[in-house]
Amino acid sequence: MGLLNFCLRPTFQDFFSFSFKTSIQSSNEIYTWNPQIIFLYMLTLDNYYKSLFGTKTYKISLNSTCTCPNRDGTAGTGGCIFCNQTGSGDFMPSQELTLSEQIEAAKIIIQKKIRNPQNLKYIVYFQNFSATYGQPQRLKKLWAEAISAPGVVGLALGTRPDCLSPEILSILAELAEKTYVQIELGLQTSNEKSAEYINRCYKNEIYLHAVENLHKANPKIHVVTHIIFGLPSESQKDMLDSVRFAIGSKTDGIKITNLYVLKNTRLEKEYLAGTFKTLDYEEYFNLIRQALTRLPENIVVHRLTGDPPRSSLLAPQWCTDKKRTMNEVKSILSAFCG
């Protein structure tokens, strides 16, 4: 296995050593787990980065001042119904700061939390809106400046599958020869009806082509797929089908989060009207356990929870208990690691 540090994990048919019953309200199905230990390998993000860079590596969120094609009228208007005016960038630094100032400010925050902050390594992460949606040469210059900062070992971009033009793909392919490049695609769901409901404004086929095109552009590009559990009207099967769909696309990594309702979003109106309920704590983490058993050992697990801003969160409130949710994630990963 070389430098890679893996967690052991069981197959779906032979789940890890515990049993419990739970029901998912949206599907009215009851699942019972019976323990039989047959383990495969699971690669967590922390270990993946350590295998590449030799040490713990931290992501620095930056602001690229981009927008989205389902906001500006190119593909639609209003954006996805769960997305607020920051474009999932609630913890972004101020646009008034220069790029270098953003990076240094983020480094200081991280270093204050670390006992021995010397020689830390960082991945610059353009997270909000669609970070590949813009004038290609402007973005090329922006990304080049970001990866040139001291201690930076890679570039991560959050974007939409329909925001990868041939010129952007060429730039990313070139960058991947110089540094680590991670492209995070917002699939959210493979259910086309749900995708239409959330105003995603692209078909599944576009996502599949995006993953294929990124890998063709440069196999070194690490592709991550974002999935949301708990979208209105989705059953447990729908959610797990989205995981299967992402696996089938040959994504390199996966991020899963629960649906949460933020103020000043179109989803807020739906929630206050009582048209749907968010997943409770037990429902969500039961789904996470099931999802992990379906992942091939080569897929990197990037994240298993969201981190919504407390000040604008309506539901579910269990998201605000970060210590509890992180302990639950650690417990799940510990169980999977034998």
Side-chain angles (χ1 to χ4, degrees):
M1 293 185 293
L3 294 174
L4 296 181
N5 295 313
F6 292 89
C7 286
L8 292 169
R9 71 173 169 82
T11 64
F12 175 63
Q13 292 82 6
D14 303 288
F15 202 71
F16 57 84
S17 184
F18 80 100
S19 300
F20 72 53
K21 292 185 178 181
T22 188
S23 63
I24 303 298
Q25 185 175 7
S26 60
S27 61
N28 295 317
E29 295 172 312
I30 297 179
Y31 291 81
T32 305
W33 300 109
N34 294 309
Q36 290 184 21
I37 305 176
I38 298 178
F39 287 103
L40 298 173
Y41 294 107
M42 180 174 71
L43 182 55
T44 62
L45 180 62
D46 186 47
N47 285 333
Y48 175 65
Y49 282 164
K50 285 179 180 178
S51 77
L52 295 177
F53 310 119
T55 187
K56 189 172 181 64
T57 305
Y58 298 85
K59 291 174 77 174
I60 294 175
S61 293
L62 303 175
N63 198 324
S64 61
T65 66
C66 292
T67 185
C68 294
N70 67 339
R71 284 177 176 265
D72 67 6
T74 302
T77 58
C80 295
I81 65 171
F82 51 78
C83 198
N84 63 12
Q85 293 305 308
T86 69
S88 298
D90 299 281
F91 304 105
M92 291 292 101
S94 171
Q95 293 186 30
E96 297 179 359
L97 298 176
T98 66
L99 190 62
S100 60
E101 288 172 341
Q102 291 182 47
I103 293 172
E104 290 308 309
K107 284 183 179 180
I108 291 172
I109 293 173
I110 292 171
Q111 290 167 2
K112 287 181 178 179
K113 299 178 180 180
I114 308 301
R115 289 184 180 180
N116 299 305
Q118 293 79 20
N119 301 316
L120 296 181
K121 293 183 179 180
Y122 307 93
I123 291 174
V124 287
Y125 182 27
F126 292 94
Q127 177 182 9
N128 60 330
F129 297 110
S130 298
T132 60
Y133 187 56
Q135 207 286 321
Q137 292 306 309
R138 181 189 81 85
L139 294 175
K140 181 180 180 180
K141 182 179 179 181
L142 184 74
W143 300 337
E145 179 184 351
I147 63 175
S148 68
V152 172
V153 294
L155 170 72
L157 304 172
T159 193
R160 292 167 53 94
D162 57 354
C163 295
L164 295 167
S165 67
E167 188 173 359
I168 288 291
L169 286 170
S170 178
I171 293 170
L172 295 176
E174 181 182 340
L175 283 173
E177 292 299 325
K178 303 174 182 178
T179 190
Y180 172 80
V181 175
Q182 178 174 302
I183 305 300
E184 305 191 8
L185 301 176
L187 173 65
Q188 320 309 358
T189 178
S190 63
N191 184 310
E192 294 280 18
K193 289 184 179 180
S194 295
E196 183 176 356
Y197 171 79
I198 65 175
N199 200 44
R200 194 181 68 180
C201 293
Y202 72 82
K203 297 294 185 180
N204 287 341
E205 183 180 2
I206 301 297
Y207 161 82
L208 293 174
H209 287 319
V211 177
E212 180 181 9
N213 290 337
L214 284 164
H215 285 150
K216 282 183 177 179
N218 193 324
K220 295 179 182 179
I221 296 173
H222 182 79
V223 181
V224 183
T225 299
H226 289 220
I227 292 174
I228 295 176
F229 281 175
L231 292 174
S233 300
E234 286 209 344
S235 67
Q236 176 170 332
K237 181 179 182 299
D238 291 327
M239 299 175 220
L240 297 177
D241 279 348
S242 292
V243 175
R244 294 189 192 95
F245 184 78
I247 293 169
S249 77
K250 298 184 180 180
T251 187
D252 301 303
I254 195 165
K255 276 188 175 182
I256 305 175
T257 186
N258 61 298
L259 179 71
Y260 47 79
V261 184
L262 299 179
K263 298 176 184 177
N264 301 315
T265 62
R266 293 164 67 184
L267 190 64
E268 175 190 17
K269 297 178 181 179
E270 300 276 348
Y271 178 75
L272 294 178
T275 60
F276 73 97
K277 294 182 179 180
T278 57
L279 293 175
D280 66 31
Y281 184 89
E282 289 75 17
E283 287 173 334
Y284 179 69
F285 283 107
N286 176 49
L287 281 162
I288 288 295
R289 290 182 177 93
Q290 294 184 63
L292 290 180
T293 63
R294 288 162 164 80
L295 297 183
E297 60 267 29
N298 62 312
I299 289 185
V300 182
V301 179
H302 281 250
R303 190 164 189 169
L304 297 177
T305 64
D307 189 20
R310 184 186 295 264
S311 60
S312 60
L313 178 69
L314 286 179
Q317 285 301 310
W318 59 262
C319 290
T320 63
D321 192 343
K322 191 170 183 177
K323 182 177 180 180
R324 182 189 180 201
T325 56
M326 291 309 298
N327 284 340
E328 186 71 30
V329 169
K330 290 177 182 178
S331 175
I332 291 171
L333 294 179
S334 177
F336 272 69
C337 290

